Amino acid sequence: MRSLFRQLRQAGILGINRRNGDYILRYNQRRHYPLVDNKLATKRLATQHNIATPSLYAEIRSEHDILKLPELLSQYSAFALKPAHGVGGDGIVVITGKMHDFWRKANGSLLTMTELAYHTSNILSGMHSLGGQPDHAMIEYCVDIEPVFADISYYGVPDIRIIVLLGYPAMAMVRLPTRMSDGKANLHQGAIGAGVDLTSGTTLGGVWHNDTIDQHPDTFNHISGITITQWDDILTTAAYCYDITGLGYLGVDIVLDRHYGPLMLELNARPGLNIQLANRTGLHKRLTAIERHVAQLGGDSEPVATRVAFSKNPAFASAV
Amino acid sequence: MKNRHLAGLIGVLIVLGLTVFAYRWWYLQVPLLPGQTQDSWTVEANLQFNATTNPVSAQFYIPRNPPNYSLLDEQFISRGYGVTTALENSNQLATWSIRRARGQQSIYYRAIFYRNALNQPLMGLKIPSVTPAQFSDAQMPALEAIIAQTRSRSSNVRTFVTEALKLLNDPTDDNAKLLLKRDTSADNIAKTAINVLSHANIPAVLTYSIPLQTQKSATFIPGLFIHNGQEWIYYDPLTGQTGLPHHLLVWYYGDNIASAINQGGTQMQFSIAVTTAPINALELVEQRGIEMQSTLMQFSLFNLPLRTQQIYLILLTVPIGAFVILLLRNFIGLTTFGTFMPVLIALAFRETQLLAGIFLFSLITAIGLAVRFYLDKLKLLLMPRLTAILIIVIIIMLAISMLSFQLNLEKGLSIALFPMVILTMVIERMCIVWDERGAGESILSGVGSLIAASIAYLVMKNAYIEYLFFAFPELLLVLLGIIFWSGQYRGYRLTELYRFKSFLKRDSG
């Protein structure tokens, strides 16, 4: 048993206890949490700092607002309905089209207006929010999938998750929706995670339910070797999110839109550990390398471009 | 720096907790195990006499601070007598008196003693001033010879007394024979020894003890207490062995007779009966706390009203349960619904017992889930839905209770103790997880909660652990220290071995 633990340690795997104790507790101050736990606040903050996000169509703050829902939605045919305090992608409904009185979900199934209103009401009552407190619902632009990813995702928008420590991108992966994940990009819901080479922005192999996978289970296209466009912009956005939130250990979710390029979707102060499986490498050794680098700077902070360059440097991205 | 601070805090908590624990266990002798008993001795002194003239007054010595034993309880029993106790020299003298009495009289003193392991020094025995005893002219040379011989063979008071007693007990020694006047009873040897020692300027006190063993009539055993300038040392006058044997209860000091009729009585008979009985060690502890005026004992939970005690007996197991959950979650990596929900379920298991508890919990959750899925179709708002589930949970509990009562299944009745609000939240959470993460994950968390609750229950209902934390609540400080320590654990959880198994080498996996 001890030798098994030692193997994990040697692989530089970050466990939950260490993530919570040495990274989240140390680098993320509680008072900064509301900025990322509330997607509306995150969006507001990002807009202030010229970080592109999907545009907000409407906020639903009360049961009374739900009555206006049909009118609000009449002008849109595609949108995403989300709880402002949602956890792990729960409660998100992506509508990609309208059919008579029905809304078509990303997976192709149809919803009536009543069902949509009921779901919104559930969001408001806090069913999907952290700790169950009353919540707001938000309706925003539904991301139009970038062609690069079209072949390797199934009804849904892949997103790019980047772990950022103290403003330095540490690890990245693409999360590809599958039929099983219901168009959602969360690994525990059945999405595929594919590691991304920080230097080039090229996808590595994927992982699906803890198993390594090289082909998308629904489209049969190869997952690896796909180069993500505008990779530098994506890394820069991710690195910059540290400066605007003050959260030292941060998960940045970015989507690539066909028209608008990289859009910052949400931030996460407690990013999960599956990214290690997707990259088939441990996160801990990269985090310690960044901490060592920051310690060498001794109090000075580097500009975003330098930090991105540090992470892109093969000495960091491949060797560690 | 921060780590040193935490390490200090942990150290202080654990040391403080263990110190108080050790003090109460070792010094106050709070028993470590529940239901531990200790032998106690009921000593009954009985004075019988015939009352002839009025008024009547009789007296006898009763033990006062006997070494190695503590008094648990004492009673003075007589018909119509007034009792006074007074200090006479180093002894406690009880005097019974009555204005009118006729015929056979019987007065009792009953006391319960228990052995304390403290080996406290002899208390309350005054050091007498030594005056050389009178010996006849014929005896003086013998005395001087004995003292000279003893002195040459000894180096200090302790060995002097041993040597003197050895000589006096030597049947071939003519000097000893002369001093003892052929009476070689322990009583006489002891008295003679005191007289001999007085010429060597050694303070000695005669003492009478009774052996604590079940008997109808105990005989007094004479002994010597010698003061060597620092402490009292007990000597057996016959063997010269030092140290008060553990079975001896010192009754009184001095060469008086234990009992006496002061006026109005004849045909006195004095006897002491001894019986033994096990008493609950906890009773002793309480008594001890009062006796030693220990503030720590006054803060014991045993001094609370019984109802409150019973509540705390259960409440104090909650930290243990929570600690078990902590281990399961942070070290093993078990997923459960809610942080401390399993502890509350475990508390309910106390009443239902484990198997029935698991069955009832699963039954309620299953029925509740079915109802919850149906409610989903009705499109109710959160609060009404939760309230509806709560009411349905209570209805299910009611139904199970009534059904099991009809079937004469006692266990089913205890379902009433399940925390229904918690059950409601479990059902709601399970349903949401079911919807969003799939049935597998939902059932996994449900089973995880049940496993955690079962383990917590098994630990919490353990009679030893329950008692230990009740008798020694300071152990909570130790637990707190351990929890602070475990808060620093940054290693992997056991389940992460599985989660990250792809990083493990094939050959050793």
Side-chain angles (χ1 to χ4, degrees), chain A residues 19 161 163 249 268 270-275 283, chain B residues 499:
Chain A
R19 179 200 68 176
R161 153 67 59 91
I163 303 271
Y249 184 72
N268 199 324
R270 312 165 192 82
L273 301 169
N274 279 330
I275 196 167
L283 182 57
Chain B
R499 181 180 180 183

Side-chain angles (χ1 to χ4, degrees), chain B residues 48-65:
Chain B
Q48 290 188 342
F49 59 92
N50 203 13
T52 48
T53 56
N54 287 326
V56 177
S57 172
Q59 64 179 36
F60 59 81
Y61 292 122
I62 57 177
R64 172 171 175 262
N65 295 337

Side-chain angles (χ1 to χ4, degrees), chain B residues 129-431:
Chain B
S129 53
V130 185
T131 46
Q134 293 291 315
F135 284 93
S136 65
D137 291 345
Q139 286 173 323
M140 279 312 280
L143 172 74
E144 277 157 18
I146 283 181
I147 288 178
Q149 204 174 341
T150 309
R151 190 160 279 153
S152 70
R153 289 183 194 170
S154 65
S155 58
N156 55 17
V157 171
R158 186 183 273 269
T159 46
F160 186 94
V161 177
T162 311
E163 286 303 320
L165 285 173
K166 205 185 278 176
L167 274 180
L168 286 177
N169 278 300
D170 186 352
T172 61
D173 191 291
D174 291 333
N175 292 327
K177 269 189 214 158
L178 190 62
L179 289 187
L180 292 171
K181 297 175 192 156
R182 295 182 183 281
D183 180 359
T184 55
S185 68
D187 202 39
N188 190 45
I189 290 178
K191 283 176 182 166
T192 311
I194 291 173
N195 289 340
V196 171
L197 292 173
S198 70
H199 283 264
N201 204 22
I202 295 172
V205 173
L206 183 62
T207 178
Y208 288 99
S209 312
I210 56 163
L212 286 180
Q213 47 198 257
T214 302
Q215 53 191 325
K216 286 225 172 69
S217 182
T219 45
F220 280 120
I221 294 174
L224 286 173
F225 270 112
I226 311 293
H227 203 272
N228 70 351
Q230 284 130 26
E231 56 177 346
W232 287 105
I233 303 167
Y234 180 87
Y235 285 86
D236 184 323
L238 289 180
T239 62
Q241 274 177 346
T242 57
L244 184 64
H246 287 321
H247 69 286
L248 286 187
L249 177 75
V250 172
W251 197 269
Y252 71 105
Y253 308 103
D255 50 8
N256 290 338
I257 298 170
S259 59
I261 308 275
N262 297 332
Q263 56 181 140
T266 56
Q267 296 167 3
M268 177 183 75
Q269 272 189 320
F270 183 65
S271 67
I272 299 172
V274 181
T275 53
T276 179
I279 52 167
N280 194 329
L282 272 180
E283 285 174 38
L284 286 182
V285 170
E286 270 178 74
Q287 191 60 34
R288 215 178 171 79
I290 298 164
E291 186 184 304
M292 306 184 103
Q293 299 183 332
S294 165
T295 36
L296 264 179
M297 246 4 254
Q298 283 165 16
F299 283 109
S300 158
L301 288 168
F302 294 108
N303 296 341
L304 293 175
L306 209 58
R307 268 181 64 87
T308 321
Q309 279 193 30
Q310 276 163 352
I311 292 172
Y312 272 106
L313 194 63
I314 294 170
L315 274 190
L316 281 173
T317 62
V318 172
I320 324 281
F323 179 62
V324 170
I325 304 297
L326 181 156
L327 291 181
L328 288 176
R329 285 175 66 103
N330 265 23
F331 289 81
I332 309 289
L334 202 69
T335 48
T336 61
F337 282 121
T339 324
F340 290 124
M341 187 278 275
V343 181
L344 295 171
I345 300 292
L347 276 181
F349 281 177
R350 287 176 70 93
E351 303 301 325
T352 58
Q353 301 305 316
L354 191 57
L355 286 180
I358 291 177
F359 174 72
L360 290 175
F361 177 84
S362 312
L363 190 65
I364 297 180
T365 325
I367 300 177
L369 260 180
V371 174
R372 168 67 177 77
F373 279 121
Y374 167 71
L375 286 182
D376 215 25
K377 294 206 172 107
L378 301 183
K379 313 286 181 217
L380 300 174
L381 296 182
L382 179 77
M383 266 318 284
R385 188 174 61 226
L386 281 182
T387 317
I389 299 172
L390 177 66
I391 291 172
I392 284 157
V393 164
I394 293 175
I395 291 174
I396 299 168
M397 286 163 64
L398 256 178
I400 293 175
S401 285
M402 288 194 282
L403 193 70
S404 58
F405 184 68
Q406 290 298 319
L407 296 174
N408 282 328
L409 296 169
E410 283 285 311
K411 284 275 177 284
L413 294 176
S414 51
I415 198 173
L417 292 145
F418 268 115
M420 53 220 168
V421 175
I422 298 290
L423 277 174
T424 306
M425 295 317 290
V426 168
I427 291 168
E428 175 70 13
R429 281 295 310 156
M430 253 186 115
C431 185

Side-chain angles (χ1 to χ4, degrees), chain B residues 429-469:
Chain B
R429 281 295 310 156
M430 253 186 115
C431 185
I432 292 173
V433 173
W434 194 297
D435 263 356
E436 306 205 327
R437 312 257 165 102
E441 193 154 336
S442 177
I443 290 172
L444 202 69
S445 288
V447 170
S449 307
L450 214 48
I451 291 173
S454 306
I455 297 175
Y457 160 76
L458 288 176
V459 177
M460 286 161 73
K461 74 134 204 191
N462 185 305
Y464 292 109
I465 292 180
E466 192 180 79
Y467 168 81
L468 206 60
F469 275 80

Side-chain angles (χ1 to χ4, degrees), chain A residues 30-41:
Chain A
R30 266 237 93 87
R31 61 192 166 93
H32 296 315
Y33 278 30
L35 289 179
V36 294
D37 285 346
N38 183 348
K39 292 194 181 80
L40 284 167

Side-chain angles (χ1 to χ4, degrees), chain B residues 473-490:
Chain B
E474 60 271 15
L475 287 180
L476 284 180
L477 294 180
V478 179
L479 190 65
L480 199 59
I482 295 173
I483 285 169
F484 281 171
W485 173 81
S486 71
Q488 290 177 296
Y489 177 72
R490 299 285 187 266

Side-chain angles (χ1 to χ4, degrees), chain A residues 35-78:
Chain A
L35 289 179
V36 294
D37 285 346
N38 183 348
K39 292 194 181 80
L40 284 167
T42 313
K43 197 182 278 290
R44 224 171 286 131
L45 186 76
T47 313
Q48 274 170 26
H49 292 87
N50 295 318
I51 292 176
T53 61
S55 51
L56 183 67
Y57 291 166
E59 278 177 54
I60 312 284
R61 292 179 171 275
S62 64
E63 290 290 329
H64 180 72
D65 289 347
I66 296 178
L67 299 176
K68 294 186 284 185
L69 207 58
E71 188 196 329
L72 277 173
L73 295 177
S74 59
Q75 50 178 315
Y76 306 113
S77 60

